[in-house]
Amino acid sequence: MSLGDEELLAEMRSALDLVQAASDRMRRQVQRARTTKEDRGRLLSVTVGGHGELIELTFHGDAYRQLAPAELADLIVTTATSARDGARRAAMAGTAQLTGDLTLLSDTARTAGSVDELVEGIVGVVTAAEDRRRERRSAS
C-alpha cells in the first residue's frame, strides 16, 4: 500500500470514528426525546417518542364526547400524525446539530431532512475521498 493510500485510509477511519460518535450521541438523544402536539381545538394532546412511537393520548375536558366517531378518529389520527412529524423534524434537526462539527461531511449530510439525505451526504464524503485519491495517483 502506498503512502497516499495509507493517508487516505487513516483519513477515512478518522471520519468514520467521528460519524460513529455523532451517531451514538444522536441515538441517545432520540431515545430520550418526547414531542407533544395539541389539536387546534385543544381537545386532545398526543405525545410521541423520538422514533414516533405513541407514548400518551390526553383528552382535555369532555368536549370530545360531542364528536361523531369519525370526527374523533380523524382528530386522533391528525394530531398523532402532527406529533410524529414534529418528532421526525426534531430528530433531523438534532442530526444537523450533532454532525455540524464533522467538517468532512457535506452540506447535504449536515442539512439532511431525512435519513436518506443523511446517508447520501455520508456517501458523498467517501466518494469525494476516493476522487481525491485518484487525482493524486494520476498526478504522480
Side-chain angles (χ1 to χ4, degrees):
M1 189 179 304
S2 73
L3 182 59
D5 288 341
E6 289 176 18
E7 288 174 358
L8 178 62
L9 185 58
E11 180 182 324
M12 291 178 75
R13 283 184 180 150
S14 176
L16 179 60
D17 290 343
L18 291 171
V19 169
Q20 285 176 330
S23 175
D24 290 342
R25 288 191 307 271
M26 183 178 148
R27 193 174 298 114
R28 287 189 301 272
Q29 179 180 333
V30 167
Q31 287 173 343
R32 292 188 306 265
R34 299 285 180 268
T35 301
T36 301
K37 293 290 181 178
E38 194 170 66
D39 75 292
R40 289 183 186 148
R42 298 183 182 216
L43 301 176
L44 168 72
S45 61
V46 175
T47 301
V48 297
H51 295 286
E53 70 278 13
L54 184 62
I55 302 288
E56 183 175 53
L57 266 167
T58 304
F59 290 98
H60 307 285
D62 292 331
Y64 72 91
R65 293 175 191 247
Q66 305 303 314
L67 298 175
E71 288 176 299
L72 180 58
D74 183 59
L75 175 70
I76 293 169
V77 169
T78 301
T79 308
T81 299
S82 176
R84 292 180 86 182
D85 288 346
R88 182 187 52 78
R89 282 191 301 278
M92 293 315 299
T95 299
Q97 179 184 11
L98 290 170
T99 60
D101 60 335
L102 302 178
T103 57
L104 294 175
L105 286 181
S106 68
D107 289 338
T108 302
R110 277 191 242 113
T111 60
S114 69
V115 173
D116 289 339
E117 289 176 9
L118 176 63
V119 170
E120 285 175 17
I122 293 170
V123 167
V125 171
V126 174
T127 302
E130 177 64 20
D131 290 346
R132 285 192 306 273
R133 186 178 68 79
R134 284 185 186 143
E135 288 172 9
R136 283 191 290 241
R137 276 189 184 169
S138 65
S140 299

